[in-house]
Amino acid sequence: MRKILWMFLLALFITSWTSAYAAPAVVPEAKPVISLPKIASGQTVESRGNSRQSELSKVRWANHTEALTGAAMLRLVMDVSGPVEATGVVIASPTPRLVVTIKGTVPNKTVSNLTFDGKIVEKVSFDVSGQDTKVSFDLPIMVEDSDFKVFTLRNDPQANKPFRVVVDVNKPVPLPDFSFTAGLKNKVIAIDPGHGGSDPGAIGPSRYQEKTVTLAVSQNVRTLLEKAGARVIMTRQDDRDVYGPNATAVDELKARSTAANNRKADVFLSIHADAFSNPTVGGTSTYYYQKTRFDSMLASSLQTSLIQAGNLQDRRANPANFYVIKRTRMPAALVELAFISNPNEEKLLSSPEFQQKMSLGIVQGLERFFNQAAKLN
Ligand SMILES: [Zn+2]
């Protein structure tokens, strides 16, 4: 069902697309030549094996900028002599690039590498790898899987259109430049109680569940923050899946970051409990992904206050790649209150006194953060 919807949206997008046909390094303004047909569901061309080679003959490209949002993308259209299969993958090192593999296809002599202004793509190069063509897009910065699309189109003899491979690369949208005032009053704070519903999170040796303590602490934090004059956005308020019971893990996490993004939270805080195979391991840690100048400051402030409040082993503020701290478009941190896999800490996590202590620690950490961030203005 979701796939059909996606294809429909894609068809709408492509029909509304007007773009230009341009030689490399010429700014494409007028001359709309790349007009792609509607894609019906199932029209994507499948592989036909390697029994015959296809030829990649012509490459054209266009820039597209949305007037309303300023979002920009580059579309590259490659003509091929037959139906092919094409896939793309983003590679981070040694330099960021998107590599598109066109199976059973070789470029002909007219195809040459392209150089761009580097805002979205720096360079596109065509290489033969066995039976396949590898098209490499050198990128100015690393992009996510959602920032590019690779698809194929059937030929249309009536309109004199060949088979095509289309690659869309979005320009990454920069984050706003944040600045903060001191104190908690009027701040908008997104609190994300980890796990919930069908996902219990980690489970302790006495069967206490992570989703229970994350919700209890989040609710305490909410009460304390609201008393201090802040506005709180909760990604969940009870024991439930945020996206839905049958969601993928990514859908579930996306629903949490989207809630904070849509409601323009000042900061985002995800609350979890840790777990490890060795039951003697314990302590408190905080994670951040440095996407604004404030993420590590937020994590350090929280960590300092949580250690003062709970007095457990200081496992520090550490950088990490977790989805919710990466995809939220504001300073964000993820706290691991204690180890639920450690019997002593499981007991603490399940006690209302410890939950309240850690909740106070979080609120003090948030206040510490805003006071410190305000000094940078
Ligand atoms: Zn967790």
Side-chain angles (χ1 to χ4, degrees):
M1 186 60 205
R2 215 173 278 159
K3 182 162 187 185
I4 291 167
L5 180 66
W6 187 84
M7 293 305 289
F8 174 69
L9 289 172
L10 188 64
L12 274 181
F13 177 66
I14 286 163
T15 20
S16 65
W17 173 273
T18 51
S19 60
Y21 193 124
V26 176
V27 178
E29 280 299 311
K31 289 205 285 179
V33 172
I34 305 178
S35 57
L36 299 173
K38 262 187 194 170
I39 306 175
S41 185
Q43 201 178 328
T44 301
V45 177
E46 296 304 325
S47 171
R48 57 184 186 94
N50 284 334
S51 53
R52 272 192 307 155
Q53 286 286 119
S54 282
E55 189 182 66
L56 195 163
S57 56
K58 198 185 264 177
V59 181
R60 51 204 190 281
W61 59 276
N63 275 315
H64 176 68
T65 305
E66 250 178 69
L68 207 61
T69 61
M73 66 174 252
L74 174 80
R75 167 168 290 179
L76 197 79
V77 181
M78 295 167 275
D79 291 351
V80 281
S81 59
V84 294
E85 190 186 349
T87 51
V89 62
V90 182
I91 295 166
S93 69
T95 54
R97 68 210 139 97
L98 162 66
V99 178
V100 175
T101 301
I102 308 175
K103 285 228 171 134
T105 302
V106 286
N108 76 11
K109 287 193 191 96
T110 67
V111 174
S112 57
N113 296 349
L114 310 173
T115 306
F116 294 91
D117 65 9
K119 284 180 186 144
I120 304 174
V121 170
E122 289 168 347
K123 200 180 129 188
V124 178
S125 41
F126 301 86
D127 298 293
V128 179
S129 166
Q131 308 247 9
D132 308 333
T133 293
K134 299 257 185 209
V135 189
S136 299
F137 295 71
D138 288 2
L139 307 171
I141 62 167
M142 189 60 186
V143 301
E144 303 293 333
D145 286 351
S146 55
D147 287 327
F148 73 87
K149 211 173 279 167
V150 178
F151 57 96
T152 55
L153 295 169
R154 248 184 217 295
N155 64 339
D156 181 355
Q158 278 180 331
N160 202 20
K161 301 266 188 205
F163 289 94
R164 283 146 290 165
V165 176
V166 183
V167 181
D168 290 341
V169 186
N170 293 332
K171 182 181 180 179
V173 180
L175 291 170
D177 190 22
F178 289 92
S179 70
F180 295 106
T181 55
L184 291 168
K185 203 168 166 57
N186 297 323
K187 295 300 188 313
V188 181
I189 295 164
I191 300 291
D192 174 40
H195 312 279
S198 64
D199 169 19
I203 300 174
S206 304
R207 315 305 298 161
Y208 188 62
Q209 299 186 336
E210 182 184 353
K211 69 173 181 178
T212 310
V213 62
T214 62
L215 183 60
V217 169
S218 298
Q219 282 166 334
N220 292 349
V221 169
R222 177 194 195 161
T223 305
L224 292 165
L225 284 174
E226 285 176 346
K227 257 189 218 158
R231 201 151 65 75
V232 176
I233 297 162
M234 298 278 281
T235 61
R236 67 178 174 100
Q237 311 213 35
D238 47 27
D239 182 18
R240 70 168 70 200
D241 298 83
V242 172
Y243 184 94
N246 296 314
T248 64
V250 168
D251 280 339
E252 177 67 19
L253 295 171
K254 198 171 171 186
R256 292 170 192 254
S257 50
T258 302
N261 292 344
N262 289 349
R263 295 171 67 187
K264 305 240 180 301
D266 289 311
V267 299
F268 175 93
L269 176 59
S270 191
I271 297 175
H272 288 254
D274 225 331
F276 193 60
S277 52
N278 179 344
T280 64
V281 170
T284 302
S285 50
T286 307
Y287 292 95
Y288 63 92
Y289 179 85
Q290 190 73 354
K291 59 193 189 294
T292 76
R293 62 185 171 132
F294 292 111
D295 297 80
S296 83
M297 186 192 286
L298 174 64
S300 302
S301 302
L302 285 161
Q303 179 69 11
T304 302
S305 294
L306 279 167
I307 294 303
Q308 285 174 2
N311 208 22
L312 297 181
Q313 190 192 329
D314 185 357
R315 304 185 72 89
R316 300 176 198 283
N318 308 293
N321 247 331
F322 300 138
Y323 188 100
V324 289
I325 52 175
K326 198 170 164 184
R327 292 303 188 87
T328 37
R329 296 180 57 79
M330 70 277 310
L334 184 148
V335 303
E336 300 277 10
L337 300 167
F339 278 74
I340 201 168
S341 49
N342 175 317
N344 298 328
E345 295 194 2
E346 179 191 27
K347 214 172 286 168
L348 284 174
L349 286 166
S350 65
S351 92
E353 293 75 29
F354 184 79
Q355 290 172 359
Q356 182 64 10
K357 260 203 257 182
M358 294 305 260
S359 306
L360 274 165
I362 287 171
V363 173
Q364 282 157 0
L366 288 169
E367 190 166 15
R368 181 191 295 266
F369 164 71
F370 286 117
N371 293 347
Q372 206 178 327
K375 289 186 191 149
L376 290 186
N377 291 342

